[in-house]
């Protein structure tokens, strides 16, 4: 067991690990770019791009939320090295999503976009998620952590829990008219499990603290 | 071994290769115009577009089903016809899946032969028609209609069929008949998504009797000069060009005349989003998106602007009077 763990750690700490994961995260974008260029996105390529970039945003939000539970459950601290990059990829794909919508759906007509956001709750919710994700992406470098102080930085980055919920609500409302919720359900279950684990872990830690305190006789 | 080549005997044209007279004639007219040189620039461009719109490419995948050029007002738009490939791979037919690529993948299992359509309810002559009887009931016409989906995309499709009114006249509705209901096959054995909770099955659509009697309401058996592909609603469907696409029921097995407004599938699923009328209307938005514009499938590049949606999908001159005095915001 210990050997396996050390092996895993060794791979994750390898200098090539980060570039490799970076390239893997870029693959969906590379594929979409290639498919758009070579006309392989079907009869409605604009719709395909808007949807695919939205899907990848949700997937990266799930992936980044999975880092901490995986790290703790498998005792693999090296996983933490990749969290910032994965979070920034979530932002990368949400920017592409917003860009595709603004470009292909709205032809960059800012007034129309503003009206759309104000009028339609599902667009408003999606746009809010993007807005909330922006300060997280903007404070993702080390100097920002130092300048803000670790406590405040961490508090700000807890916004990702809210953002994940808004992203799923956005997807749910998008699908609501067709009563076609299977995919929404899958994402919701994944996010609920990842957030649920945090609640459970937090409580377990608190319980451990209490019982430890009891053992050493602190009253 | 018998090897057949063109060298052995005569080389007959197959029916799909024969140009319908209407198309042949319009090409002739164009050549005449060009040859005499009397056509003004505007007329020449109109004639050119006409010729383009008429020259419907036959994909040659299914049995040919030709129709004469329709004389019904508004029945032949001059716009560029959507590619057959796009029209047959980008479909909403939820009995075969909710993704637009699903119907083309899954609908091959639909048994379209034998097929019959029961016409019943408030009519003098209720009757179950076989498909063969229906095909022969009236001469087939080619109609090139715009198709506008409620989701905000559109196509231009050359359908083959005849006005539903021809069938309605045969069965003679009673005075009490006010609505016509179209019921789609719901066979869980061959339609893998019948039973999913997306909609209540069978799929039901309906028209008011005067809408159904309008000559543009097409009982449809073919597209692009051939019989309908399964994913497009084979072997018989409705096409109601001034309404959103979902109003045109596919793979119809029953047509029922009623005195009460039928509850339609989409209206049952989300009544605040899909009204009974569902006329194409750029000024009445869907609750979650604008209906003012649409994306023409295949024609415009990725970066092209969407086009403006026309009232009644551009068929206002033909069907506007059906809704005179009605509040179309309330009756959406």
């Amino acid at each position: 067991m210990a050997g396996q763990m050390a092996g895993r750690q060794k791979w994750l700490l390898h200098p090539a690990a980060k570039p490799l994961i970076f390239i893997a995260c870029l693959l969906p974008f590379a594929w979409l770019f290639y498919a758009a260029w070579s006309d392989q996105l079907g009869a409605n390529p604009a719709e395909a791009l808007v949807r695919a970039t939205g899907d990848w945003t949700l997937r990266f939000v799930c992936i980044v939320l999975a880092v901490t539970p995986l790290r703790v459950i498998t005792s693999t601290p090296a996983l933490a090295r990749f969290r910032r990059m994965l979070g920034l990829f979530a932002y990368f794909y949400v920017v592409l999503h917003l860009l595709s919508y603004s470009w292909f759906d709205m032809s960059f007509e800012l007034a129309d976009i503003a009206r759309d956001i104000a009028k339609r709750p599902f667009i408003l919710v999606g746009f809010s998620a993007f807005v909330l994700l922006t300060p997280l992406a903007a404070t993702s470098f080390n100097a920002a952590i130092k300048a803000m102080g670790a406590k405040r930085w961490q508090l700000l980055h807890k916004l990702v829990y809210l953002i994940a919920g808004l992203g799923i609500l956005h997807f749910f409302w998008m699908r609501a008219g067709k009563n076609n919720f299977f995919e929404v359900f899958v994402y919701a279950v994944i996010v609920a499990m990842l957030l649920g684990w945090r609640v459970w872990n937090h409580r377990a830690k608190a319980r451990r603290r209490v019982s430890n305190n009891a053992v050493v006789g602190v009253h | 071994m018998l090897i057949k080549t063109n060298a052995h005997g005569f080389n007959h044209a197959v029916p799909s290769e024969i140009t319908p007279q209407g198309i042949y004639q319009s090409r002739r007219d164009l050549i005449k115009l060009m040859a005499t040189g009397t056509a003004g620039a505007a007329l020449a461009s109109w004639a050119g577009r006409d010729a383009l719109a008429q020259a419907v490419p036959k994909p040659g995948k299914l049995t040919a089903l030709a129709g004469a050029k329709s004389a019904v007002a508004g029945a032949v738009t001059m716009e560029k016809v959507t590619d057959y490939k796009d029209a047959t791979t980008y479909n909403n037919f939820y009995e075969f899946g909710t993704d637009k690529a699903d119907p083309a993948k899954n609908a091959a299992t639909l048994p379209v032969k034998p097929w019959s359509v029961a016409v019943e309810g408030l009519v003098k002559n209720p009757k179950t028609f076989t498909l063969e009887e229906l095909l022969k009931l009236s001469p087939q016409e080619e109609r090139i209609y715009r198709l506008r989906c409620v989701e905000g995309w559109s196509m231009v499709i050359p359908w083959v069929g005849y006005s539903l009114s021809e069938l309605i006249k045969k069965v003679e509705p009673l005075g009490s008949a006010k609505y016509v209901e179209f019921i789609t096959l719901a066979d869980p054995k061959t339609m893998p998504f019948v039973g999913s909770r997306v909609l209540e099955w069978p799929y039901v659509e309906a028209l008011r009797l005067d809408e159904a009697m309008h000559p543009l309401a097409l009982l449809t058996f073919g597209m692009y000069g051939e019989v309908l592909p399964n994913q497009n609603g084979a072997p018989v469907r409705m096409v109601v060009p001034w309404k959103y696409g979902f109003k045109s029921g596919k793979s119809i097995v029953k047509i029922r005349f009623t005195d009460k407004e039928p509850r339609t599938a989409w209206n049952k699923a989300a009544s605040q989003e899909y009204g009974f009328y569902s006329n194409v209307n750029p000024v009445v938005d869907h609750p979650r998106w604008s209906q003012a514009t649409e994306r023409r499938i295949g024609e415009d590049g990725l970066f092209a602007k969407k086009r403006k949606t026309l009232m009644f999908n551009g068929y206002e001159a033909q069907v506007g009077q059906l809704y005179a005095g009605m509040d179309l915001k309330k009756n959406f």
Side-chain angles (χ1 to χ4, degrees):
Chain A
M1 268 305 266
Q4 249 178 34
M5 204 179 82
R8 207 162 43 221
Q9 285 280 94
K10 206 176 99 191
W11 280 113
L12 293 171
L13 291 168
H14 194 278
K18 254 189 193 175
L20 279 175
I21 290 181
F22 184 87
I23 289 167
C25 293
L26 264 183
L27 284 179
F29 171 72
W31 158 248
L32 287 174
F33 192 86
Y34 170 75
W37 175 74
S38 61
D39 197 17
Q40 288 185 54
L41 290 172
N44 194 344
E47 179 192 71
L49 284 178
V50 173
R51 292 196 177 179
T53 50
D55 286 345
W56 281 107
T57 304
L58 269 177
R59 285 169 199 159
F60 273 97
V61 166
C62 291
I63 291 170
V64 80
L65 284 177
V67 170
T68 299
L70 269 180
R71 191 196 61 182
V72 173
I73 292 166
T74 65
S75 320
T76 316
L79 276 173
R81 295 178 70 218
F82 308 101
R83 195 169 64 166
R84 170 174 14 197
M85 186 170 73
L86 294 169
L88 281 171
F89 267 106
Y91 193 68
F92 174 67
Y93 282 101
V94 82
V95 167
L96 289 179
H97 183 56
L98 183 69
L99 194 67
S100 321
Y101 155 82
S102 309
W103 196 344
F104 310 135
D105 266 2
M106 312 306 279
S107 305
F108 287 130
E109 298 281 351
L110 292 183
D112 288 355
I113 294 173
R115 220 172 303 132
D116 215 25
I117 292 171
K119 195 169 174 186
R120 293 171 224 292
F122 97 100
I123 303 266
L124 177 67
V125 164
F127 189 71
S128 310
F130 161 77
V131 169
L132 289 174
L133 200 54
T134 303
L136 275 61
T139 57
S140 61
F141 51 97
N142 291 338
I145 304 174
K146 225 174 254 169
M148 288 180 71
K151 273 256 161 66
R152 265 192 294 170
W153 186 90
Q154 248 172 4
L155 194 67
L156 175 69
H157 282 249
K158 286 212 162 92
L159 270 179
V160 71
Y161 307 144
L162 175 65
I163 291 162
L166 290 174
I168 285 170
L169 182 62
H170 170 67
F171 193 31
F172 172 84
W173 261 337
M174 202 273 282
R175 287 285 170 87
K178 290 204 167 187
N179 294 323
N180 179 17
F181 297 124
F182 179 71
E183 278 176 82
V184 184
F185 178 74
V186 170
Y187 285 109
V189 165
I190 292 171
V191 168
M193 276 166 52
L194 295 171
L195 297 188
W197 177 86
R198 284 170 165 81
V199 174
W200 173 84
N201 187 50
H202 187 76
R203 286 195 184 152
K205 259 201 228 158
R207 266 198 306 276
R208 273 199 299 276
R209 255 199 310 275
V210 169
S211 59
N212 286 347
N213 289 349
V215 169
V216 295
V218 178
H219 295 287
Chain B
M1 196 161 88
L2 182 73
I3 299 170
K4 261 181 131 175
T5 70
N6 289 342
H8 296 93
F10 295 105
N11 196 7
H12 293 288
V14 299
S16 62
E17 285 175 339
I18 299 169
T19 309
Q21 195 187 348
I23 295 172
Y24 163 83
Q25 200 58 51
S26 72
R27 285 183 197 155
R28 287 262 133 177
D29 292 346
L30 178 67
I31 293 165
K32 244 186 260 168
L33 272 174
M34 285 169 143
T36 53
T38 51
L43 187 58
S45 105
W46 176 82
R49 276 191 300 155
D50 187 28
L52 183 73
Q54 300 318 304
V56 171
K58 294 197 184 9
K61 298 195 169 172
L62 299 166
T63 311
L65 179 67
K69 186 177 170 182
S70 178
V72 170
V76 182
T77 173
M78 307 304 169
E79 284 154 283
K80 186 180 174 293
V81 166
T82 302
D83 280 350
Y84 181 82
K85 186 173 175 260
D86 287 342
T88 55
T89 55
Y90 191 75
N91 306 103
N92 284 319
F93 197 167
Y94 280 18
E95 286 81 344
F96 298 105
T98 50
D99 189 273
K100 286 194 183 54
D102 287 343
K105 279 184 225 151
N106 300 333
T109 52
L110 180 71
V112 293
K113 259 180 197 170
W115 192 274
S116 59
V117 179
V119 184
E120 55 181 53
L122 304 171
V123 289
K124 220 166 120 188
N125 312 314
K127 178 179 154 78
T128 296
F129 293 85
T130 65
L131 183 65
E132 291 69 28
E133 285 172 315
L134 279 180
L135 280 164
K136 282 184 294 196
L137 189 132
S138 183
Q140 300 283 344
E141 294 180 8
E142 180 154 80
R143 310 261 184 107
I144 305 178
Y145 285 164
R146 285 177 289 276
L147 167 78
R148 170 61 155 83
C149 177
V150 71
E151 298 165 343
W153 52 267
S154 62
M155 295 186 183
V156 176
I157 296 183
W159 302 106
V160 183
Y162 50 80
S163 297
L164 175 70
S165 59
E166 301 293 339
L167 174 66
I168 295 179
K169 278 184 251 166
K170 289 271 189 312
V171 296
E172 295 185 55
L174 302 175
S176 51
K178 296 276 181 298
Y179 297 92
V180 191
E181 196 179 24
F182 305 90
I183 296 152
T184 297
L185 179 72
D187 176 15
K189 285 200 290 291
T190 55
M191 299 168 130
F193 284 76
V194 168
S196 73
R197 283 187 299 172
V198 178
L199 285 172
E200 208 176 287
W201 315 101
Y203 190 90
V204 172
E205 257 311 330
L207 298 170
R208 223 168 49 191
L209 186 57
D210 58 338
E211 295 178 322
M213 284 298 290
H214 192 281
L216 284 176
L218 191 71
L219 190 66
T220 308
F221 303 89
M223 58 195 273
Y224 297 81
E226 299 179 356
V227 296
L228 288 167
N230 288 359
Q231 63 269 32
N232 291 80
V236 56
R237 63 170 292 171
M238 277 302 298
V239 176
V240 190
W242 68 93
K243 291 177 179 280
Y244 293 120
F246 70 88
K247 285 298 290 181
S248 297
K250 293 173 173 154
S251 303
I252 294 168
V253 289
K254 197 182 280 182
I255 299 177
R256 225 156 57 94
F257 290 74
T258 67
D259 54 357
K260 288 192 186 64
E261 188 180 285
R263 296 288 322 271
T264 59
W266 278 109
N267 190 244
K268 277 190 269 189
S271 57
Q272 72 286 1
E273 301 195 7
Y274 307 102
F276 175 80
Y277 284 94
S278 291
N279 290 310
V280 175
N281 190 339
V283 298
V284 176
D285 284 350
H286 184 278
R288 281 176 295 117
W289 57 81
S290 163
Q291 293 291 23
T293 58
E294 66 200 46
R295 178 177 289 121
R296 183 61 57 81
I297 296 297
E299 186 182 323
D300 304 326
L302 192 53
F303 306 113
K305 279 196 168 197
K306 294 208 244 179
R307 59 178 65 211
K308 281 199 158 39
T309 287
L310 303 171
M311 188 65 203
F312 295 115
N313 202 19
Y315 299 96
E316 188 170 18
Q318 288 82 30
V319 303
Q321 85 285 352
L322 291 173
Y323 309 102
M326 263 175 77
D327 180 354
L328 294 175
K329 280 207 163 74
K330 243 169 72 192
N331 298 290
F332 63 91

